[in-house]
Amino acid sequence: MSMMDKLKAILKGHEEQAGQGVDKAGDFVDEKTQGKYSGQVDTAQEKLKEQLARDREQDGPPQP
């Protein structure tokens, strides 16, 4: 099992919280770099959120 598969298994059903974490991490990087890389950070945030959304659609809704 690859590291990405392990991360997906951990995050399954918690995509919204993971998205919030991505936002916080991006804000932290922007703060520490004084916005120098904000374009790259924003792009990375968007791509990560898109991947989370794709994984959610692919797996279907979480089972109770």
Side-chain angles (χ1 to χ4, degrees), residues 32-43:
K32 291 297 181 181
T33 62
Q34 298 171 345
K36 185 175 180 180
Y37 303 104
S38 63
Q40 292 90 336
V41 170
D42 291 343
T43 301

Side-chain angles (χ1 to χ4, degrees), residues 7-45:
L7 285 172
K8 286 181 182 181
I10 291 169
L11 294 176
K12 188 174 182 176
H14 302 283
E15 292 86 359
E16 187 173 328
Q17 290 89 347
Q20 292 171 353
V22 168
D23 285 336
K24 285 186 178 183
D27 292 344
F28 178 78
V29 171
D30 280 340
E31 180 183 322
K32 291 297 181 181
T33 62
Q34 298 171 345
K36 185 175 180 180
Y37 303 104
S38 63
Q40 292 90 336
V41 170
D42 291 343
T43 301
Q45 286 175 308

